[in-house]
Amino acid sequence: VPDWTIVIPVKGTASAKSRLGGSAELALAIALDTVAAAHEVAPVIVVTPNAEPFEGLGAVVVADPGSGLNDAISAGIAATGGSHVAVLLGDVPAMQPAELVAALAAAGRHPLSFVADADGDGTVLIAALAAVDHAPAFGPDSRARHLAAGYVELDIPASSGLRRDVDTPGQLAALAGRLGPRTTSSSVDA
């Protein structure tokens, strides 16, 4: 997708995906599959304390400032130096590149837009045609907070891998057969 840069924050600590009950390796595999799929679509900036595995995928890495998710996202946005910036959470291992392409094409019609998670309370992606307009509001009830901040909700099917973030073992199990290769391998090993 021309002109877009995708920022992906990745916690990169032992406590990442603690609700999932999996290992740090599983959390990393989920993030790597997300980054690999996004990188097929547009340049990716990963904000993380764990640079090496993401550089190996061709992503640019920005050091996580360590002061929370929205600050990490802001650091990534600042590093883009451009317009058309999407922020994608790093826990959508079933996302297919074509699903992200469709979302970014729809996002191109709005100054600010977002994609809600399949549960409808959270957010998996925010997009801005001008990076300086971003107002990241991830966390509890982020869908409502992004709406309040002026982001337009994009109509993406709930079945899309883009909307299927993974926080629990049930969410992971529900995506069996659709997961990226690293997540599939790590979840079998877990």
Side-chain angles (χ1 to χ4, degrees):
V1 177
D3 303 325
W4 285 96
T5 300
I6 302 167
V7 173
I8 303 177
V10 176
K11 196 172 186 178
T13 64
S15 63
K17 293 286 154 206
S18 56
R19 287 188 294 161
L20 188 56
S23 64
E25 290 79 20
L26 178 57
L28 178 60
I30 288 169
L32 287 168
D33 280 336
T34 301
V35 170
H39 190 60
E40 289 187 35
V41 174
V44 173
I45 294 175
V46 177
V47 184
T48 184
N50 185 13
E52 184 178 351
F54 301 102
E55 290 173 338
L57 293 176
V60 171
V61 176
V62 171
D64 186 333
S67 50
L69 177 60
N70 290 308
D71 285 347
I73 290 167
S74 294
I77 292 169
T80 66
S83 54
H84 295 76
V85 174
V87 176
L88 174 67
L89 295 188
D91 63 353
V92 287
M95 179 190 71
Q96 297 300 306
E99 294 169 330
L100 182 56
V101 167
L104 293 177
R109 296 190 288 272
H110 306 280
L112 294 170
S113 57
F114 77 98
V115 176
D117 64 14
D119 293 337
D121 296 326
T123 305
V124 292
L125 179 137
I126 58 174
L129 298 184
V132 296
D133 292 339
H134 263 306
F138 288 93
D141 300 317
S142 63
R143 177 183 175 271
R145 293 197 319 225
H146 284 121
L147 280 169
Y151 288 81
V152 173
E153 185 168 1
L154 300 176
D155 185 18
I156 304 295
S159 61
S160 170
L162 174 59
R163 292 192 59 192
R164 305 297 299 267
D165 58 329
V166 174
D167 292 316
T168 67
Q171 289 170 332
L172 184 66
L175 294 172
R178 295 179 60 189
L179 297 166
R182 296 164 190 85
T183 306
T184 297
S185 178
S186 290
S187 60
V188 167
D189 295 341

